[in-house]
Amino acid sequence: MVHIDSLLHAGYHNPVQRPWQVERTLTKGSLMYPIFITDEADSLIPIPSMPNQNRIGVNRLEEVITPLVQKGLRAVMLFGVPNDSVKDALATAADDPAGPVIQAIKLLKAKFPALLVSCDVCLCEYTSHGHCGHLNEDNTINNEASVRRIAEVAVNYAKAGADNVAPSDMMDGRMRAIKQGLLDAGLSHRVSLMAYSAKYASALYGPFRDAACSGAKFGDRSAYQLPPGSRGLGRRAIERDVREGADIIMVKPAMFYLDIIRDAKELAPDHPIAAYQVSGEYAMIHHAASAGVFSLKTAVLESMASLQRAGCSLILTYFTPELLEWLD
């Protein structure tokens, strides 16, 4: 005999009742689309390791973004992909007014004023060595010099019109430095700060580094990105970034780190929690669906539900164009 305290089915037997059991409902406003901006202004270059994704030249950006905005796109994140010829040890091209990111900010805000434009802030795409900051003579990270440069770049993106800046470098203390820079520039009331707080040294970034041409020329980034098994460090990083003025807390990657997303929601209950479904996650789902393992739409929607269930209110995903259609 089934006992009364065992009965659950009636609560979701009728389809109308099933959404009532869901903590969050995925909407178009929950999505941010990461896009790669090349300094080849007229180009639209397919990324082989990321199906349906391209490096986009500034002169092609309007044609790519217009149909997405018409379908309900609310937010994008920009990643610059400069030519190797402009890269140097100090990432001096990162905030070049004629460079791809600042040119893209200005175009997007002119053509789509309601679109939130976020900018990833890191030096790896612009350094000749491919690391995320400035280096000491022994090739270790010079944290203090890196933070100064990252804060400078973030403020210049904000001055160009960015609505949000998101430092992904994982340097110690960069959130406070950027927040102070925004305050000093008179922009802290307008430009929000999204912290890549718990960013792990993951195997899942491979396609991104192909897309952004940003792989390290020697060593790896495990001295500043978090060890994959380190829950405690992730928690400490989240708490630190809250103290230093972050407006949004991000966990990256997403699906392998649902426990950290839940930790972020518990540690920062009054902050929006973001998750970045990274290039490797995107490629895995795409390739599995192509092999007939499952339906692409079903798997993507389930992945979105898992991130929201863990505590996310914002999801950065390369599946944004498909989701804009599926959510109609």
Side-chain angles (χ1 to χ4, degrees):
M1 187 178 91
V2 178
H3 294 285
I4 287 175
D5 57 7
S6 301
L7 298 176
L8 295 177
H9 290 171
Y12 55 96
H13 174 77
N14 189 305
V16 174
Q17 293 174 291
R18 291 169 197 165
W20 303 347
Q21 305 289 348
V22 176
E23 291 185 25
R24 293 171 181 83
T25 300
L26 185 67
T27 67
K28 296 178 181 183
S30 309
L31 305 171
M32 180 178 283
Y33 186 29
I35 56 176
F36 300 97
I37 311 298
T38 175
D39 60 3
E40 299 177 31
D42 296 315
S43 295
L44 194 65
I45 305 168
I47 301 167
S49 55
M50 298 179 67
N52 303 329
Q53 302 302 310
N54 299 282
R55 299 188 195 101
I56 309 166
V58 171
N59 292 344
R60 305 294 297 276
L61 196 51
E62 185 176 2
E63 72 180 80
V64 172
I65 297 300
T66 295
L68 298 179
V69 169
Q70 291 170 346
K71 293 174 184 176
L73 180 67
R74 302 289 302 281
V76 295
M77 178 176 280
L78 307 182
F79 293 88
V81 187
N83 189 284
D84 283 349
S85 65
V86 305
K87 297 183 179 185
D88 60 28
L90 303 180
T92 54
D95 50 359
D96 180 356
V101 172
I102 288 182
Q103 289 298 303
I105 294 168
K106 291 181 176 179
L107 183 145
L108 289 171
K109 293 310 296 183
K111 300 292 185 180
F112 311 102
L115 182 70
L116 183 141
V117 176
S118 174
C119 293
D120 176 85
V121 184
C122 197
L123 305 186
C124 60
E125 300 103 313
Y126 302 93
T127 53
S128 51
H129 47 72
H131 280 280
C132 299
H134 291 183
L135 300 180
N136 295 310
E137 290 185 5
D138 63 357
N139 288 333
T140 58
I141 284 289
N142 183 332
N143 191 85
E144 186 174 349
S146 300
V147 167
R148 281 197 301 270
R149 180 63 182 136
I150 288 158
E152 184 178 40
V153 172
V155 171
N156 284 332
Y157 288 166
K159 288 178 177 178
D163 302 293
N164 172 267
V165 289
S168 61
D169 55 283
M170 291 301 287
M171 299 299 127
D172 286 336
R174 86 271 201 215
M175 304 307 298
R176 180 177 283 114
I178 294 171
K179 199 73 167 184
Q180 186 64 55
L182 294 171
L183 181 63
D184 293 345
L187 295 167
S188 60
H189 68 291
R190 180 183 70 76
V191 180
S192 60
L193 181 54
M194 177 158 57
Y196 285 71
S197 297
K199 179 181 178 181
Y200 285 83
S202 173
L204 296 171
Y205 303 143
F208 174 92
R209 289 171 183 162
D210 289 341
C213 305
S214 63
K217 297 297 188 289
F218 56 84
D220 59 28
R221 295 165 179 160
S222 58
Y224 42 97
Q225 295 178 2
L226 303 180
S230 60
R231 182 183 179 196
L233 273 173
R235 291 172 63 89
R236 289 166 60 193
I238 291 163
E239 291 177 315
R240 176 192 64 189
D241 288 352
V242 169
R243 290 194 304 270
E244 291 190 5
D247 298 296
I248 305 160
I249 298 297
M250 187 203 295
V251 176
K252 178 184 180 183
M255 295 189 298
F256 287 6
Y257 295 88
L258 296 178
D259 58 326
I260 308 302
I261 295 171
R262 174 53 69 179
D263 282 345
K265 188 61 180 174
E266 292 174 356
L267 292 168
D270 300 322
H271 284 62
I273 305 301
Y276 195 146
Q277 187 179 57
V278 300
S279 58
E281 296 171 271
Y282 174 81
M284 284 193 301
I285 293 173
H286 245 297
H287 293 316
S290 295
V293 174
F294 45 56
S295 155
L296 180 66
K297 179 179 178 180
T298 302
V300 171
L301 290 173
E302 185 173 344
S303 75
M304 295 295 107
S306 75
L307 300 179
Q308 289 196 303
R309 189 180 65 242
C312 288
S313 51
L314 171 63
I315 300 170
L316 292 83
T317 176
Y318 301 101
F319 286 114
T320 296
E322 289 90 345
L323 285 162
L324 293 173
E325 293 188 3
W326 296 337
L327 291 173
D328 275 337

